[in-house]
Amino acid sequence: GNLALTSLPEGITSIGDSAFDYCENLALTSLPEGITSIGYYAFGSCTNLALTSLPEGITSINDSAFIDCTNLALTSLPAGLTSIGQYAFGYCENLALTSLPEGITSIGKSAFDYCENLALTSLPKGITSIGYYAFAHCTGLTSLTFLGTPTSIA
C-alpha cells in the first residue's frame, strides 16, 4: 500500500497480525517503547522499513513478522526476546545481526532464511528448539557455534 508513516504513537503495546502487511512505503526507523509483541505478518513485505533497533520490551516476534523487509538493518535484538517465529526475518537480506539475546529459547522454521548479511558467530545456550532451515541460504554465515544443549534441532 501507499501508507508512508514515519512514526507510531507512544502507548502501543503490540503490533497486530498483518497490521502493515505490504505497506511498501512504510518508512519507520523506530518503534515506540512499550511494545511487547509483533504479530504475524505485521510488517510483511514492507520493503522500505529501515528499523535499526527494536524496543527492549519485545518478548516475541511472530511468524513472518518481518518477512521480505529487504531494507531492515537490525544489528541486534532486544534482550527480553524469547521466541522468533517461522520466517520471522525470512528474506531480510540486509539484516546484519551479530548476536542473539541470551533469553532466546526457540527459533522457528526458516526464521532467518535468505538473510545473506547475517553475521552471527554463536547461538545462546538457552535455545532449546531450532526449526528446519532456520539459517538456510545465509551466505554470510561461515561458522556458527552452539553454546548449549538443544532438545530439538530440525
Side-chain angles (χ1 to χ4, degrees), residues 17-105:
D17 297 349
S18 301
F20 299 103
D21 196 19
Y22 283 99
C23 290
E24 294 95 350
N25 294 320
L26 193 66
L28 299 174
T29 54
S30 65
L31 296 177
E33 294 297 324
I35 292 175
T36 58
S37 68
I38 297 176
Y40 300 90
Y41 290 94
F43 295 102
S45 298
C46 292
T47 52
N48 285 313
L49 188 68
L51 298 175
T52 55
S53 66
L54 295 174
E56 283 301 317
I58 293 175
T59 57
S60 65
I61 296 175
N62 284 302
D63 298 352
S64 303
F66 292 102
I67 192 168
D68 200 28
C69 290
T70 53
N71 283 315
L72 192 66
L74 301 174
T75 55
S76 65
L77 295 174
L81 188 64
T82 59
S83 66
I84 298 172
Q86 297 182 74
Y87 292 97
F89 295 102
Y91 303 92
C92 293
E93 57 197 40
N94 287 313
L95 190 69
L97 298 176
T98 56
S99 65
L100 294 176
E102 288 298 318
I104 295 255
T105 57

